Amino acid sequence: MKGTIEFYYDYSSPYGYLGSERIEAIANKHDHKILWRPILLGAVFKVTKQTPLTYAPLKGDYSIMDFARSAREHKLNYKHPSHFPIGAVAASRATLWLREHDDAAVQAQTTAFVHAIFHAYFANDQDITDTAVLSTLAKSIGIDAQAMAAALAEPRVKDLLRHEVESAIEKGVFGSPMMMIGTEQFWGNDRLEQLDRWMATGGW
Amino acid sequence: MKGTIEFYYDYSSPYGYLGSERIEAIANKHDHKILWRPILLGAVFKVTKQTPLTYAPLKGDYSIMDFARSAREHKLNYKHPSHFPIGAVAASRATLWLREHDDAAVQAQTTAFVHAIFHAYFANDQDITDTAVLSTLAKSIGIDAQAMAAALAEPRVKDLLRHEVESAIEKGVFGSPMMMIGTEQFWGNDRLEQLDRWMATGGW
């Protein structure tokens, strides 16, 4: 592996979902691993004084159209969730707990879990704020769901997420997805091609 | 010509500038003409309750970095203006006045004027709110600068811009650049490649 793409995202972010489906091909192409970094845009928006994309007049309608159109272009399943946006606290904590226990070099189970959660929410309209839903997803990919459920209530695991969000804000992360290679930031599902060109050329 | 790409932009928008430099190649490739549609984001933001990109904590710093980085990628000159953002009322009125007088089929002078104004502001740090600067730019491409200066004060020309902005908002335009093909909208300089693919494939 030549390096790491840090992939910051919120489980409630449609562009985070679309980006999560496309980032692996880019990482593999350039022999990089992905570090999945779930954050909570709700906390970030308090700092940046932003609101969820879909709340803005005009921009909101465009966004909802564009989520589906961008998904169609990349042949990804997308169904705008009936409850949107959500606070994906439990899903994010579960991911960080798993990431810690996962093989650091491969992170295969974490990757599978990230995809399973995103699919559940954006393709199958499941309630990913429900820990029972998260447990079922965990089991389906061989994760110890009981250990996970217990971990969600641990102060140490709560701290993991708090630190992840604080550290993201300190690095200037303000949206989802945001990809970082070292200190270089690329924001948005529509910047994956630019990230790819950046990695291919070594930057400009 | 098979159709028209409506190109909505604000002269104070860095991504509007970058998009304006790249849209012609796409229009030519697909045998479309461009309709240059200057708007005022200040008026739009009152409806959408947005603020200029650079005003948001974190997002602002990223944007200023990204304007320059995106320009470098496409080998376009970019120097962040010392006065930014500005209200480009005069430049927008002048463009609409010219567009009305220009050969409707070709719009070559309007295109040259749009580029000249954007270059003046984003490459040469000139004050494009100054009508003397606009007159000099107009003269340099063979436009009757005296007629243009007189037109800027006409109620009819003021109305042209007011209607252009109102009509944009009615169509859901909320940012710069926004490209429209019929009712299909593409927002952002980073969506030009998607627009290109859309036109090449007939959509998806």
Side-chain angles (χ1 to χ4, degrees), chain A residues 15 47-48 50 56-59 62 65-66 69-70 72-73 169 172-174 178 184-187 190-191 194 197-198 204, chain B residues 15 47-48 50 56-59 62 65-66 69-70 72-73 169 172-174 178 184-187 190-191 194 197-198 204:
Chain A
Y15 293 129
V47 176
T48 60
Q50 305 283 294
L58 308 186
K59 198 172 182 176
Y62 173 86
M65 174 283 290
D66 186 61
R69 183 178 63 183
S70 294
R72 283 200 309 277
E73 177 175 16
I169 292 169
V173 173
F174 58 86
M178 181 174 271
E184 200 72 27
Q185 300 178 319
F186 297 87
W187 169 50
D190 46 15
R191 290 305 182 89
Q194 191 184 41
R197 295 191 297 268
W198 181 274
W204 50 80
Chain B
Y15 293 128
V47 175
T48 59
Q50 304 284 293
L58 307 186
K59 199 172 181 175
Y62 173 86
M65 175 282 290
D66 187 61
R69 183 178 63 183
S70 294
R72 284 199 309 275
E73 178 175 16
I169 291 169
V173 173
F174 58 86
M178 181 174 269
E184 199 72 29
Q185 300 179 319
F186 297 87
W187 169 50
D190 44 16
R191 289 302 183 91
Q194 190 184 41
R197 296 191 297 267
W198 180 273
W204 51 79

Side-chain angles (χ1 to χ4, degrees), chain A residues 22-77:
Chain A
R22 303 167 59 221
I23 191 67
E24 280 172 276
I26 295 173
N28 291 339
K29 181 171 160 188
H30 302 293
D31 198 23
H32 275 56
K33 63 173 279 194
I34 296 167
L35 184 63
W36 300 102
R37 308 203 79 160
I39 56 165
L40 301 173
L41 286 182
V44 174
F45 287 173
K46 280 182 194 157
V47 176
T48 60
K49 302 183 206 312
Q50 305 283 294
T51 52
L53 203 49
T54 53
Y55 289 11
L58 308 186
K59 198 172 182 176
D61 290 342
Y62 173 86
S63 300
I64 287 173
M65 174 283 290
D66 186 61
F67 299 154
R69 183 178 63 183
S70 294
R72 283 200 309 277
E73 177 175 16
H74 298 292
K75 309 212 186 310
L76 299 170
N77 288 324

Side-chain angles (χ1 to χ4, degrees), chain B residues 11-152:
Chain B
Y11 278 118
S12 188
S13 157
Y15 293 128
Y17 161 57
L18 300 179
S20 74
E21 290 285 312
R22 303 168 57 219
I23 191 66
E24 279 172 277
I26 295 172
N28 291 339
K29 181 173 160 186
H30 302 292
D31 198 24
H32 274 57
K33 62 172 279 196
I34 296 168
L35 184 62
W36 300 102
R37 306 203 81 159
I39 57 166
L40 300 173
L41 286 182
V44 174
F45 286 172
K46 280 182 194 157
V47 175
T48 59
K49 304 183 204 312
Q50 304 284 293
T51 51
L53 203 49
T54 53
Y55 288 12
L58 307 186
K59 199 172 181 175
D61 289 343
Y62 173 86
S63 301
I64 288 175
M65 175 282 290
D66 187 61
F67 299 155
R69 183 178 63 183
S70 294
R72 284 199 309 275
E73 178 175 16
H74 298 292
K75 307 213 185 313
L76 300 169
N77 288 324
Y78 185 85
K79 186 175 181 302
H80 195 63
S82 26
H83 297 280
F84 177 87
I86 52 162
V89 178
S92 302
R93 284 182 188 157
T95 304
L96 291 176
W97 167 82
L98 179 61
R99 202 183 73 185
E100 223 186 24
H101 290 77
D102 206 3
D103 179 330
V106 186
Q107 293 273 309
Q109 226 171 16
T110 306
T111 298
F113 195 45
V114 169
H115 290 318
I117 295 170
F118 264 137
H119 277 243
Y121 187 48
F122 285 112
N124 301 328
D125 199 12
Q126 285 182 273
D127 179 7
I128 60 165
T129 66
D130 182 348
T131 51
V133 169
L134 295 174
S135 288
T136 305
L137 295 173
K139 272 183 220 162
S140 74
I141 52 175
I143 298 164
D144 181 341
Q146 236 172 341
M148 192 189 81
L152 293 184

